[in-house]
Amino acid sequence: MKIAIVGAGRIGSTFAFQLARAGHEVTVVARGARLAQLRRDEAIVTAAGERAAVGVSAALDEAAAWDLVLVTVLAHQVDEVLPALSASAARTVMFMFNTFEPLGRLRDAVGAARCAFGFPAILAALDDGKLTSTIVTRGMVTPVTHAAWAKVFTDAGIPAVVEPDMESWLRTHAALVAPVMVAVVTAHARKAGVSWAEATDVARALEEGLRVVRELGNTLTPAPIAALSRLPTPAAAALVWTLSRVEAIRKTGATGPAEPRALIDAIAAAAPGRTPALLAIRP
């Protein structure tokens, strides 16, 4: 297949590497230092020295009949690329990132007939342009809205399943990860885990966010996160405290506070006056 990936960060690079290695023709759309690096390497390069050749571009070729344009920018960056996605001749445009906003706006921008959604069950990092990835291969694997793309990703080494209610899935996940990301960003900057008091504040924010998801009429999904919402605050705090001390997780905090800040703002905007705990930890 002919696939374009808009966003060459750790997630986009992981998809590019796996899909290119599976034999697909992959072009990565990047900018800044990452664009220069990819142009020099003409490949996604891993920390282990593996290479997967990819095409590289500073902008999406709107005239190209892409089988898939996979959008892996952050949610607050998507407006910059929506005009190009809307004008693109791509057969499918899949949005693959954390978001709490209703999905109708993105669906309308590219057309319902060719719009798809997903979320990457991947832990990854880019150090000096070298990719390190851990792909979840069992349990809560990558969810997508279409069975055909679940098979393409699975065949490329990124196990995926079909999720029919992607808006509920994404809102549940955003409410979970936004507070946890605050703790992880703090731990990364500090090079040490968060304190018990900080973990407790994060746990309360997590509980509040999941409550907002239910109040907005969405279903807490998948089941493990729904179960997490029933944990007592001390148990949730213990989980946050522990995660902030796991090196692979703490490393993801290198991306900084922009994403958790944007997610918290989106949750607060959807539920005015009902998110004091989330706003209290907003970075």
Side-chain angles (χ1 to χ4, degrees):
M1 290 186 175
K2 188 173 181 179
I3 298 172
I5 298 179
V6 178
R10 51 199 175 85
I11 299 302
S13 294
T14 301
F15 273 95
F17 182 83
Q18 296 293 135
L19 289 165
R21 294 270 288 223
H24 300 290
E25 181 185 337
V26 177
T27 296
V28 178
V29 179
R31 62 184 182 180
R34 183 64 174 148
L35 173 62
Q37 186 172 57
L38 287 166
R39 279 177 167 165
R40 183 176 64 249
D41 294 340
E42 297 182 335
I44 305 296
V45 182
T46 72
E50 298 173 295
R51 299 172 61 89
V54 296
V56 183
S57 178
L60 180 68
D61 182 351
E62 296 172 9
W66 307 103
D67 293 294
L68 173 67
V69 174
L70 185 62
V71 185
T72 61
V73 299
L74 299 179
H76 63 276
Q77 299 169 329
V78 74
D79 284 344
E80 298 175 34
V81 298
L82 272 184
L85 296 173
S86 178
S88 170
R91 296 183 178 91
T92 299
V93 177
M94 179 181 288
F95 297 97
M96 177 79 71
F97 48 72
N98 263 321
T99 184
F100 195 83
E101 295 183 8
L103 301 183
R105 182 177 74 92
L106 298 177
R107 189 180 291 114
D108 292 345
V110 302
R114 63 178 185 148
C115 185
F117 294 94
F119 184 82
I122 294 168
L123 277 177
L126 278 172
D127 295 315
D128 295 325
K130 304 298 189 292
L131 178 68
T132 303
S133 297
T134 300
I135 298 168
V136 177
T137 58
R138 59 178 64 186
M140 288 176 58
V141 299
T142 295
V144 296
T145 49
H146 293 68
W149 293 113
K151 184 177 188 309
V152 169
F153 294 154
T154 299
D155 289 347
I158 303 174
V161 295
V162 176
E163 171 51 60
D165 186 2
M166 204 68 211
E167 183 172 284
S168 287
W169 198 104
L170 286 167
R171 282 189 156 178
T172 302
H173 187 265
L176 169 69
V177 300
V180 173
M181 288 171 74
V182 171
V184 171
V185 169
T186 300
H188 179 268
R190 189 181 292 167
K191 295 184 171 55
V194 298
S195 69
W196 180 255
E198 289 169 328
T200 300
D201 288 343
V202 167
R204 289 178 179 141
L206 189 158
E207 293 163 359
E208 181 178 80
L210 294 176
R211 183 168 63 250
V212 165
V213 173
R214 291 193 297 265
E215 290 172 353
L216 292 174
N218 294 104
T219 302
L220 291 183
T221 184
I225 298 181
L228 185 62
S229 72
R230 297 189 288 271
L231 282 179
T233 301
L239 180 60
V240 172
W241 187 91
T242 301
L243 288 175
S244 74
R245 285 161 170 77
V246 177
E247 182 61 27
I249 293 175
R250 194 161 69 199
K251 203 171 185 180
T252 64
T255 55
E259 186 173 10
R261 183 188 300 130
L263 288 173
I264 289 172
D265 288 347
I267 298 170
R274 289 183 277 168
T275 58
L278 278 161
L279 292 174
I281 67 165
R282 180 185 183 273

